[in-house]
Amino acid sequence: MLRQLLPHFSSSSSSSSPIYSLARLTRQSSSRRVPLASRKTSSSSRTIMSSSSSSSSSAASVPFERPRKVVKKVLSLSQSEGDGATVRRSIGRHEVPNLDPFLLLDEFSVSKPAGFPDHPHRGFETVTYMLDGAFTHQDFSGRKGTIRTGDVQWMTAGRGIVHSEMPAADGVQKGLQLWINLASKDKMIKPRYQELESKDISQAEKHGVKVRIIAGEAFGVRSPVYTRTPTMYMDFTMQPGSQLHQPIPEGWNAFVYIIEGEGVFGREGAAPASAHHCLVLGAGDGLSVWKRSGAPLRFVLAAGQPLNELVVQQGPFVMNSRAQIKKAMEDYYYGRNGFEKASQWSST
Ligand code: FJE
Ligand code: FE
């Protein structure tokens, strides 16, 4: 059956450079489908968490040699996305376009009836981490579920997913959504979900530093999540008077996103950075963080092995060439090559 829903994209793409501009996806019929605007592992080393009451940061306590410094600091500003939803975008805006393999980081705050109604993805992974509240996802193969505070949904869209992501409770539902690119050889793999309930997320706590390990390894504790693109992703909470020295594989691109509080990142004399800032880390093999006084500091640290491939993005499709983008749009339109179930489906 011919797709009735015509995907229409306004911005053009180029195969010679990554697309970071905002594209707009509009499907013309069906009341459920609203315009969705869009923008355009595995560390194996040990983590040292220590209390600053011990004799300062002696070199011996730091399990790496080349500390990464903050090379860029960007405040994520609110913008609207989906259907009436608000996101603070950091990666994926013009100031932080290029953090291969990461494509986008949104801190979302959404209340009913706003949300992210039926939309497709191809060529990358979305990782949704609930900070507060609940979100229900439904997809075109009949899958439906709700993730709640502390839960993670790691969705590998591969060759194609069409889904909706909507608030599942009253009040403001908050979380982070990270988009991780897939290597060209993996872009057309079968879609896959990995879901972790909060209680199943590996945790460790020591000397005033707590970590929840979403992907990768810290303190000898590994996440069960399989990262097709090698990635580490952790959620740290630091109490006043604590410090952290976290190894990060050399050569990987890395960033911090601060959820709450403020702290000193990269070098001891640096100015503190505060909530809603994204800190891009420079070269090196680890990150040091100091939490001196005041309220606890909570941040996520993510790092990934760069793919070093062309990125051509058109809204929810991220491929390696314009031709592949055109193909993705056609496949979605005609219900082919992974989008077979798209034509008949709409969320309930
Ligand atoms: C999308 C526009 C969108 N950030 N954060 C275009 F809004 C979306 C989209 C999201 C999204 C969903 C959640 Cl749950 C959290 C988000 C953008 O769904 F995928 C495209 N293509
Ligand atoms: Fe989505």
Side-chain angles (χ1 to χ4, degrees):
M1 152 187 169
L2 204 130
R3 299 299 320 274
Q4 296 189 331
L5 304 161
L6 174 69
H8 161 77
F9 303 88
S10 66
S11 82
S12 64
S13 58
S14 146
S15 59
S16 60
S17 70
I19 299 307
Y20 303 119
S21 61
L22 281 142
R24 188 160 278 270
L25 165 62
T26 308
R27 306 178 70 183
Q28 291 182 333
S29 49
S30 171
S31 55
R32 295 286 305 167
R33 300 180 192 212
V34 300
L36 279 177
S38 90
R39 71 165 198 120
K40 60 145 209 178
T41 272
S42 324
S43 111
S44 55
S45 21
R46 284 184 317 133
T47 312
I48 302 275
M49 299 181 291
S50 60
S51 170
S52 60
S53 54
S54 66
S55 59
S56 80
S57 53
S58 70
S61 71
V62 179
F64 47 84
E65 288 166 5
R66 287 166 301 284
R68 290 174 180 250
K69 293 194 190 83
V70 175
V71 295
K72 194 181 271 188
K73 176 173 141 179
V74 175
L75 176 62
S76 59
L77 299 174
S78 296
Q79 62 185 75
S80 23
E81 261 304 2
D83 181 11
T86 302
V87 302
R88 284 175 171 273
R89 182 159 298 166
S90 42
I91 294 164
R93 55 190 298 137
H94 294 280
E95 294 85 342
V96 202
N98 204 356
L99 212 60
D100 186 12
F102 303 111
L103 300 162
L104 173 144
L105 179 69
D106 278 353
E107 179 183 2
F108 58 93
S109 294
V110 185
S111 306
K112 289 176 183 173
F116 305 93
D118 310 6
H119 60 279
H121 293 282
R122 174 180 279 181
F124 61 102
E125 304 186 286
T126 67
V127 182
T128 309
Y129 182 38
M130 286 308 296
L131 296 176
D132 189 17
F135 244 70
T136 293
H137 54 90
Q138 290 184 44
D139 86 2
F140 68 161
S141 60
R143 190 188 169 96
K144 181 173 181 175
T146 300
I147 52 170
R148 300 169 196 286
T149 307
D151 297 351
V152 173
Q153 183 199 57
W154 195 292
M155 185 188 88
T156 306
R159 69 171 83 104
I161 290 269
V162 183
H163 72 168
S164 67
E165 298 154 284
M166 303 298 286
D170 293 330
V172 186
Q173 315 303 306
K174 294 182 181 175
L176 296 175
Q177 189 169 93
L178 178 65
W179 290 11
I180 307 173
N181 205 1
L182 285 167
S184 61
K185 66 172 174 41
D186 294 328
K187 284 190 179 292
M188 295 298 282
I189 59 176
K190 203 170 128 241
R192 176 182 181 189
Y193 290 91
Q194 298 175 84
E195 267 177 23
L196 286 184
E197 278 187 46
S198 184
K199 64 174 170 52
D200 300 323
I201 292 180
S202 317
Q203 295 203 20
E205 184 160 11
K206 213 171 161 187
H207 301 308
V209 182
K210 188 183 88 176
V211 61
R212 309 184 82 235
I213 304 147
I214 299 166
E217 184 180 323
F219 315 144
V221 181
R222 258 207 94 68
S223 160
V225 167
Y226 174 67
T227 63
R228 196 163 278 274
T229 303
T231 306
M232 65 182 273
Y233 192 17
M234 335 228 151
D235 170 9
F236 287 100
T237 302
M238 298 178 65
Q239 298 301 325
S242 65
Q243 53 181 278
L244 164 72
H245 304 285
Q246 170 65 46
I248 301 170
E250 192 117 42
W252 289 20
N253 286 324
F255 70 89
V256 160
Y257 185 78
I258 304 173
I259 298 166
E260 259 169 32
E262 58 171 54
V264 171
F265 293 82
R267 57 178 185 85
E268 232 178 321
S274 60
H276 312 301
H277 282 88
C278 179
L279 314 177
V280 177
L281 305 180
D285 56 359
L287 172 69
S288 295
V289 185
W290 294 267
K291 174 66 213 168
R292 293 196 183 112
S293 58
L297 164 68
R298 185 177 180 194
F299 64 93
V300 292
L301 167 64
Q305 186 170 51
L307 299 167
N308 295 315
E309 294 177 343
L310 289 178
V311 176
V312 183
Q313 173 164 6
Q314 192 82 94
F317 304 133
V318 183
M319 304 300 291
N320 303 114
S321 69
R322 290 193 69 167
Q324 290 171 351
I325 290 290
K326 182 164 175 277
K327 181 78 161 37
M329 291 165 61
E330 286 168 2
D331 285 347
Y332 177 54
Y333 182 83
Y334 291 110
R336 293 177 186 153
N337 297 313
F339 286 117
E340 285 80 1
K341 291 179 178 152
S343 324
Q344 289 76 296
W345 182 79
S346 92
S347 61
T348 53

